Amino acid sequence: MVLAQNAPFMHGVMLDEHHMPIEGVNIYYDGPDGRVSVNTNQSGYYKIVLPADVPVDVYFTHVSFANSVYEGVQLPPDSVYEFNSILLTGLTTLKTVEIDSPTGRKKLQGAIDIPPALLRKIPSANGGVEAIVKLLGGNSNNELSTQYSVRGGNYDENLVYVEDIEIYRPLLIRSGQQEGLSFTNSAMAEDVQFYSGGFQSRYGDKLSSVLDITYRRPVDYGAELEASFLGGSLTLEGISKDKKWSAITGARYRNNSLLVNSQQTETNFNPVFADVQTMVNFMPSDKWEINFLGNISQNKYNYEPLTRQTNFGTIDDPIALQIFYEGQEQDEYLTYFGALKSAYKVSDYFTLKVIGSVYHTQEQEHFDILAQYVLGDVDTSIGGDSLGEIQNPRGVGSQLNHGRNDLDALIANAEVKGVHDFKTSLVEWGVKYTREDFRDRLVEWEVVDSAGFSLPAPVIDRPVNDQPYSPYYGPLTPYQNVRATNFVVINRMQGYAQWSRRAKLGGSEAYMNLGVRAHQWQVDSDISGTGKSQIVVSPRAQFSLKPNWEKDMLFRLAGGLYYQPPFYRELRDSLGVVNPDVKAQRSLHVVLGNDYSFKMWGGRPFKLVTEAYYKKLDDVNTYTLENVRIRYRANNDAVAYAYGLDMRLNGEFVPGTQSWFTFGYMKTEENYRNRGYIARPTDQRLKFGLLFQDYVPNIPSLRMYLNLVYNTGLPGGSPSYADPYVYQSRLRDYRRADAGFAYVFTEGNKKADADSWLAAFDELSLGLEIFNLFDNQNAITNTWVRDVYTKTQYGIPNYLTSRVFSLKLTARI
């Protein structure tokens, strides 16, 4: 068979259900000129050349695994498609494997499978895995943050695993611009799965979602470089001659100055966000694999605000807030993480895993910032010398914020997992011990001066404050004052067991999973004393049915009781006091889903996923949300609910590329001490997202990527000490479009001449990224300013980034 030089190819890694590489998988297709066939090597890697613009069925066969087929693979010239798959044991033959879900198991479990190659191409302000999660399953109105909420939950309710190891994040971060880098290095990722609800018992105790990431096992030497105006990364990988040792290492640097300087607050800003991450793999034999995962991360955030002016109000009544700052903020977040994992295949039916990990974080948040503000009407006289300036001040004052917050946390885990594969069924179990040691000092106070007098904290048991009309004789105290020192140790024991089975039900395929988790914990505080020992039991179940219909349909039902035993931040109330007896929040969660796979436009594959869900929450630990800072009441005195509908359509809208359209409706409310239901801080009703890829037909090397998000506004919060039942206004809708344009000089099999400078590269591209393409003004929260004469509290929107341009270079050798 003769193929043109610009023929596309498909490559990837074949794994078993325990993520072990499979050698000797035969991958083939029958083309116009005969059969083309390749086999995977010892690391499970394969590479097969395909005919350009011709649909073919690619088969995957192995004597020990069920056969599978990827139907209708059609790639344009000069393209490379990464297809990683997990082969299943047993007698069932998988007739079709969807492009976004290469394993039947993922599809049956309701996982959203995110192609790692897409993570490195889609433009977003913060980059990484979280940017795609926000679009496909989670919600966020903050492009500077890597955090996300899922189906009414908050940022603390999401599990993140890398190589079966639970990942933690810093606790003191208050705003998205302080975050810098997430733990996950997308350049090292091989497999990314996201569960937005109804997940199995093998995953831990959180209320909302699971992000499960597997890193790449190198099959050759290679390097990848990425550089832009926001920072850069370098990834190196290699493998020993005997194929027993391999390693992949990534170093990243990020500088958010370009984004932060586009905000309304003028600042001197010098952030340094950097990390180094490595995974070393050793295979003493075909049955045994040992992995070490390590990470060192340092985020230094030095912030000196200068001035800010925010215009708001209406056309008829324009108002502006102008602030002049003095002082600075110096924050540092230093984290160390190390984990050792051993997976041993005891027999053909039993795999044993042992995992140990240690996470250490040292965080400081130090600031002294004086803000002197003027609130007043804006001069709208066109042609006047004072156009846009403040006239007729309604409020004049100053505000001094002081903070000396320090946290030192050490978290150690030891875990044993077992997997018993009985061909027709699968039994999994695990036991985990965790010790969490926190040393926390919280010192924050705020003094507010308005029109020449100090405003005391508006608590009920003090004299009525009617300034400036009558003098105030109460004590002169800060408007806010929080001082606490906590030494807290939490010991946890967790365990789970679950059973899965695939079977025939008449002419249909059925999958079922039954499992249960148990979680026991006890809090020991030097200040608050030892809390009582608590235990929760969480049963969970999944059932999937693929009828033997002409249309490719799959139905899923999942649910159970989901508990969230409190982490340290959930034990600490708004005054810094630790309550060791905070109970676990509980959610009764039910998810009903449908997957409809079909082909149109000349046989291109498409898939429509629809999920309806309902959550009933008890023992809710209510909280306030300021940017990304969460403050809990730590008293379990509320109930809540959430329900909604998520729809996702993905497929080849452009031949050879994948695009996604997502739509979601969600409502979540809470009832605090039987006062009635009000919107929770994450009550985001409507969501629309678009992730689109395209290329110029006559110039396939010229690519375009579009990331479009529309979310309705979140609740705008309330002033300090205010009753949230009084403040139920919402922020404006969140609208954002990020676009990327790239020219690919060389990619994959597009070989340059031997004497060309491009011959050294497997991939080289240069692109332009435009963040916030339409320059929309999006707000993350409100700053509350008091008009002393009318006693009105004005919610001043804190706007996020405006339009920003950046160049991006990607090179791989």
Side-chain angles (χ1 to χ4, degrees):
M1 179 178 180
V2 179
L3 294 173
Q5 284 188 339
N6 61 348
F9 71 85
M10 184 169 73
H11 70 117
V13 177
M14 306 304 295
L15 306 172
D16 63 19
E17 290 181 328
H18 315 305
H19 293 283
M20 302 291 286
I22 308 173
E23 183 179 4
V25 178
N26 182 239
I27 299 104
Y28 69 90
Y29 67 89
D30 293 319
D33 299 324
R35 175 166 293 186
V36 178
S37 175
V38 298
N39 291 326
T40 57
N41 61 15
Q42 186 178 4
S43 300
Y45 180 78
Y46 74 93
K47 176 179 176 182
I48 186 167
V49 178
L50 302 178
D53 292 326
V54 176
V56 294
D57 297 338
V58 181
Y59 294 85
F60 301 82
T61 64
H62 192 281
V63 66
S64 300
F65 296 88
N67 298 333
S68 63
V69 56
Y70 183 174
E71 296 179 344
V73 182
Q74 182 176 345
L75 302 179
D78 299 322
S79 65
V80 178
Y81 177 56
E82 182 178 346
F83 182 81
N84 306 307
S85 184
I86 297 176
L87 291 184
L88 303 176
T89 57
L91 302 177
T92 302
T93 298
L94 303 179
K95 295 182 179 180
T96 305
V97 182
E98 273 70 19
I99 193 169
D100 75 318
S101 184
T103 74
R105 186 176 181 182
K106 293 180 188 177
K107 179 178 177 180
L108 293 170
Q109 293 175 358
I112 300 174
D113 195 67
I114 303 173
L118 184 65
L119 303 176
R120 301 185 281 269
K121 296 176 181 177
I122 292 300
S124 65
N126 54 41
V129 176
E130 294 82 2
I132 308 300
V133 168
K134 292 177 185 180
L135 183 70
L136 299 182
N139 289 332
S140 177
N141 280 19
N142 190 346
E143 64 269 9
L144 291 173
S145 173
T146 60
Q147 302 182 51
Y148 52 89
S149 64
V150 178
R151 295 180 175 176
N154 68 26
Y155 305 137
D156 290 339
E157 297 179 10
N158 305 305
L159 285 161
V160 178
Y161 290 93
V162 174
E163 293 291 331
D164 290 331
I165 303 158
E166 185 173 353
I167 303 302
Y168 303 90
R169 60 182 178 84
L171 297 177
L172 293 185
I173 286 176
R174 290 179 294 112
S175 66
Q177 63 192 36
Q178 296 172 340
E179 290 186 40
L181 297 166
S182 70
F183 181 92
T184 306
N185 189 332
S186 58
M188 299 169 63
E190 175 186 73
D191 186 35
V192 181
Q193 301 174 49
F194 180 71
Y195 299 85
S196 54
F199 46 88
Q200 296 180 354
S201 299
R202 63 191 176 101
Y203 294 114
D205 291 295
K206 296 282 188 180
L207 294 180
S208 294
S209 74
V210 174
L211 182 61
D212 192 359
I213 300 166
T214 302
Y215 276 174
R216 188 167 64 251
R217 270 67 171 171
V219 296
D220 202 350
Y221 290 94
E224 181 178 349
L225 173 68
E226 182 178 295
S228 74
F229 290 162
L230 296 176
S233 67
L234 175 64
T235 306
L236 303 174
E237 59 185 283
I239 189 169
S240 64
K241 290 184 178 180
D242 59 5
K243 309 297 182 182
K244 290 187 175 182
W245 288 91
S246 65
I248 182 169
T249 301
R252 296 180 294 176
Y253 170 81
R254 183 167 179 89
N255 189 320
N256 279 342
S257 297
L258 185 66
L259 293 171
V260 174
N261 289 336
S262 73
Q263 295 178 296
Q264 290 188 332
T265 302
E266 295 185 16
T267 63
N268 290 325
F269 184 61
N270 183 30
V272 177
F273 304 142
D275 82 335
V276 176
Q277 193 167 151
T278 187
M279 189 174 78
V280 180
N281 312 296
F282 175 53
M283 294 188 66
S285 68
D286 293 341
K287 295 183 177 182
W288 192 10
E289 182 182 32
I290 301 173
N291 314 103
F292 171 77
L293 179 64
N295 179 72
I296 299 176
S297 174
Q298 184 179 54
N299 288 6
K300 286 189 175 181
Y301 177 84
N302 297 323
Y303 178 71
E304 184 180 354
L306 302 175
T307 63
R308 164 187 171 182
Q309 178 165 331
T310 302
N311 297 325
F312 63 105
T314 64
I315 296 177
D316 296 331
D317 185 22
I319 307 173
L321 173 70
Q322 190 173 33
I323 306 176
F324 300 92
Y325 294 97
E326 293 182 21
Q328 63 179 336
E329 177 175 349
Q330 293 184 341
D331 302 333
E332 183 174 356
Y333 310 93
L334 181 63
T335 63
Y336 302 90
F337 176 83
L340 191 64
K341 172 184 171 183
S342 174
Y344 183 70
K345 195 170 184 178
V346 181
S347 68
D348 291 340
Y349 309 101
F350 177 36
T351 300
L352 183 67
K353 297 180 181 180
V354 180
I355 303 172
S357 66
V358 176
Y359 174 83
H360 185 208
T361 180
Q362 295 175 310
E363 306 174 26
Q364 76 166 37
E365 184 183 47
H366 295 177
F367 55 86
D368 286 286
I369 296 178
L370 173 64
Q372 297 175 314
Y373 68 88
V374 177
L375 176 71
D377 301 326
V378 179
D379 184 5
T380 58
S381 302
I382 299 177
D385 295 336
S386 59
L387 177 64
E389 297 181 2
I390 294 179
Q391 295 182 336
N392 303 322
R394 300 184 184 185
V396 178
S398 60
Q399 176 177 312
L400 176 61
N401 289 87
H402 169 88
R404 292 294 183 272
N405 301 328
D406 297 277
L407 176 75
D408 191 306
L410 180 66
I411 303 174
N413 295 280
E415 185 175 10
V416 178
K417 290 184 175 183
V419 181
H420 301 267
D421 191 343
F422 299 112
K423 301 302 180 182
T424 58
S425 61
L426 192 70
V427 175
E428 301 171 80
W429 56 269
V431 178
K432 181 180 180 181
Y433 169 73
T434 303
R435 179 180 174 87
E436 303 165 357
D437 192 342
F438 299 92
R439 302 184 179 189
D440 179 28
R441 183 189 71 170
L442 182 65
V443 179
E444 286 186 29
W445 50 260
E446 176 184 5
V447 176
V448 179
D449 177 275
S450 183
F453 50 84
S454 179
L455 296 182
V459 293
I460 298 174
D461 59 348
R462 291 181 179 166
V464 175
N465 180 7
D466 194 31
Q467 298 180 80
Y469 304 106
S470 59
Y472 176 72
Y473 295 103
L476 190 62
T477 58
Y479 193 78
Q480 293 188 72
N481 188 13
V482 178
R483 295 176 182 269
T485 301
N486 298 310
F487 295 87
V488 176
V489 174
I490 308 174
N491 289 288
R492 304 181 188 272
M493 283 294 298
Q494 303 174 56
Y496 72 89
Q498 67 177 41
W499 168 80
S500 306
R501 181 178 175 85
R502 295 171 63 112
K504 287 288 186 178
L505 192 61
S508 304
E509 289 185 55
Y511 171 85
M512 62 198 76
N513 174 277
L514 299 175
V516 64
R517 285 191 70 88
H519 192 140
Q520 182 273 337
W521 76 98
Q522 188 168 21
V523 179
D524 188 1
S525 171
D526 285 1
I527 306 299
S528 306
T530 300
K532 60 185 179 182
S533 175
Q534 301 184 60
I535 186 169
V536 294
V537 179
S538 173
R540 306 174 189 176
Q542 290 183 320
F543 179 76
S544 300
L545 182 67
K546 190 177 189 306
N548 188 19
W549 294 349
E550 211 174 291
K551 292 185 176 180
D552 189 354
M553 289 276 201
L554 174 70
F555 298 92
R556 289 191 312 274
L557 177 64
L561 282 177
Y562 291 81
Y563 286 91
Q564 181 158 321
F567 197 58
Y568 171 69
R569 183 156 61 177
E570 297 164 74
L571 299 170
R572 193 181 70 180
D573 66 14
S574 59
L575 297 179
V577 178
V578 169
N579 177 6
D581 292 325
V582 171
K583 295 186 290 186
Q585 300 181 86
R586 182 178 65 176
S587 171
L588 174 62
H589 193 175
V590 179
V591 182
L592 179 63
N594 170 257
D595 294 2
Y596 174 38
S597 301
F598 57 96
K599 295 182 179 181
M600 62 179 183
W601 298 342
R604 296 184 221 161
F606 289 85
K607 183 177 179 181
L608 175 64
V609 179
T610 305
E611 286 191 342
Y613 58 90
Y614 175 77
K615 297 181 184 180
K616 182 180 183 298
L617 296 105
D618 302 303
D619 295 325
V620 173
N621 195 352
T622 56
Y623 60 92
T624 59
L625 188 60
E626 177 188 357
N627 204 303
V628 298
R629 186 186 197 183
I630 300 175
R631 286 181 170 177
Y632 292 92
R633 288 194 174 93
N635 52 19
N636 299 110
D637 54 2
V639 295
Y641 69 84
Y643 65 82
L645 176 72
D646 285 340
M647 301 182 70
R648 183 177 71 256
L649 175 66
N650 66 286
E652 294 189 17
F653 292 91
V654 175
T657 66
Q658 280 284 297
S659 297
W660 284 262
F661 291 85
T662 61
F663 168 79
Y665 170 81
M666 189 267 296
K667 182 178 182 180
T668 181
E669 292 184 325
E670 63 188 18
N671 185 351
Y672 176 66
R673 294 186 175 178
N674 292 319
R675 296 184 60 189
Y677 283 93
I678 58 172
R680 304 194 79 193
T682 54
D683 182 35
Q684 192 158 61
R685 297 296 173 85
L686 293 176
K687 166 190 171 181
F688 174 79
L690 169 65
L691 197 58
F692 191 77
Q693 302 183 72
D694 198 0
Y695 59 89
V696 179
N698 295 329
I699 315 176
S701 295
L702 185 58
R703 316 283 174 81
M704 187 277 289
Y705 309 96
L706 179 64
N707 185 356
L708 180 66
V709 178
Y710 169 80
N711 296 329
T712 53
L714 289 166
S718 59
S720 299
Y721 296 97
D723 185 352
Y725 278 78
V726 177
Y727 292 85
Q728 283 297 296
S729 61
R730 288 182 177 267
L731 299 171
R732 65 175 61 185
D733 294 349
Y734 182 87
R735 298 163 296 167
R736 184 177 178 88
D738 297 326
F741 305 90
Y743 185 82
V744 180
F745 294 96
T746 183
E747 181 180 46
N749 62 324
K750 185 181 178 181
K751 298 298 183 181
D753 295 335
D755 57 349
S756 171
W757 64 277
L758 292 173
F761 297 94
D762 290 333
E763 179 181 341
L764 181 65
S765 65
L766 178 64
L768 170 68
E769 295 182 319
I770 308 176
F771 304 120
N772 199 358
L773 179 64
F774 303 113
D775 202 20
N776 297 116
Q777 279 194 321
N778 296 310
I780 181 58
T781 187
N782 283 324
T783 295
W784 296 91
V785 177
R786 182 175 181 264
D787 181 347
V788 69
Y789 293 102
T790 65
K791 303 299 177 64
T792 301
Q793 291 267 18
Y794 290 94
I796 316 299
N798 293 317
Y799 292 117
L800 291 164
T801 58
S802 57
R803 185 188 295 117
V804 172
F805 295 86
S806 177
L807 291 177
K808 181 178 179 180
L809 173 68
T810 301
R812 184 182 298 174
I813 58 175

